[in-house]
Amino acid sequence: MSPGSALPALAATRHPEPPGGSQWLLDLHGCATPHLDDLDWVRRIMLEAATRAEARVAAERFHRFEPHGISGFVLIAEAHLAVHIWPERRFAAIDIFTCNESLSADCAANFLIEAFGAKDPRIVSLPRGEPDTNGWEEASADVPELGGPQDELHIDRDDGAGGHWFVRIRTLVSCKTEFQNVEIVEFAELGKALLLDTALQSVEADEHIYHEALVQPALCLHPCPRRVLIVGGGEGATLRETLKHADVERVVMVDIDRDLVALARKHLSSWHQGSFDDPRVRLVISDGFDFVNTNAERFDVIFIDLVDLFEGGPAERLCTRDFYRTLKDRLNDGGLLVVQAMQCDIRECRDHLRVRQNLAGLFAHMPSYATFVPSFGAGWGFVIASDSVDPETVPSDRIDRVIAARGLTERLRYYDGRQHQGLFSLPKELRARLGECS
């Protein structure tokens, strides 16, 4: 049936007699079927549901939206079945309305729950067409609050001992690039968030904490940072923090995922704030490992801002001892290297320790530092490495003088001299664990 065409006449199908039946509303969360965006499969399943209800099909219409999503209905002589699907949320909303008490709407509902593989089905059944409203009142008393596709949980961590979750209001982007699944969503009260392969990367409300902690200590410790290399950092926020320093003349940013960078430029403007268009920036779409090993350019500061490093992906070879040794060769005299080094608190620091182990002995100074990022629900760690300066011994007033001299006092929301001291003041128990490989 073409868009806008009329539905077929129902002359051969007798309209039901006086109304009386039921309406089943299904919110199917966590649908496991791989066919949520398969138009033919959805059509077949909905028609089969009508058959299971013993209904007489009069017409059907289904439509697939771009980039994803399906809506459709089956018009039956006894009323209708309708479906709306959000594949990126693994969610389907289904309405089964029958005006004939003899139909088996419950059989249709159970069939659809099983066919969609719903892990969390929520069901409301209402009587329809009867003047007695008691059934409505009884049903309404038991109706759960249905979250629907615009109000569901994103579970960042659920390990049996506890969890960390957000209320997702809507999804702005959901797509697969050559390297990863990318979602840009909006969380209640926290604003936009970037998810890569379902893992939270940063949230609009507190990304400045992570990015200032990553960038500002090294740049403020260097007497005159002119040339900077960023490996990773596809959102553009690491770039934003670097460009706040007027002394910086050239920034090379290397990221492997062209599509992610394009999505960030379009949807995450509060992260990059136009930094990609700064004339000091050279954006290179390449594997960071290949770029560093084939390019002899030297830098004053290097930032490694990659996704979780020990997950078997393309980032893993960028955290080896050989790679760190090559990075050191790419530093100018007095240069500093900073590696985002994952969770670092008394609950978990194993991956952070691996970063330290691979860096051990390559630099005169390589202290760990950490900050609590609320949206991560954890202390997040970094390692800063240098042969010329020990970041732990730099007094807070020196940091404040540098910040003031560079006109950054009002431009930094998180970092200052006092916070610098706090970053390197790790708990005693954590220091003991990190000391195993110092």
Side-chain angles (χ1 to χ4, degrees), residues 161-174:
H164 185 227
W165 52 269
F166 306 86
V167 176
R168 182 192 330 220
I169 297 175
R170 59 175 176 152
T171 297
L172 303 171
V173 173
S174 179

Side-chain angles (χ1 to χ4, degrees), residues 342-422:
M342 295 164 288
Q343 186 171 344
C344 183
D345 54 31
I346 59 175
R347 185 167 58 109
E348 176 58 59
C349 65
R350 286 171 294 182
D351 287 341
H352 186 91
L353 278 169
R354 290 183 64 181
V355 172
R356 288 184 55 82
Q357 288 166 351
N358 290 341
L359 275 167
L362 296 180
F363 293 85
H365 309 284
M366 45 161 283
S368 294
Y369 65 98
T371 188
F372 181 77
V373 181
S375 61
F376 291 177
W380 211 255
F382 310 84
V383 178
I384 183 169
S386 171
D387 283 334
S388 59
V389 60
D390 182 356
E392 293 183 290
T393 63
V394 175
S396 59
D397 59 346
R398 174 181 162 186
I399 297 295
D400 286 332
R401 286 196 300 272
V402 170
I403 290 173
R406 297 182 186 177
L408 300 176
T409 303
E410 300 302 321
R411 300 186 67 190
L412 300 181
R413 299 168 59 188
Y414 166 80
Y415 180 74
D416 62 7
R418 186 172 180 177
Q419 186 58 55
H420 180 91
Q421 298 298 314

Side-chain angles (χ1 to χ4, degrees), residues 25-29 113 118 120-124 144-148 151:
L25 304 176
L26 311 180
D27 265 19
L28 305 185
H29 295 268
I113 292 170
D120 181 18
R122 307 181 189 182
I123 307 165
V124 177
E145 295 185 7
L146 301 180
D151 182 14

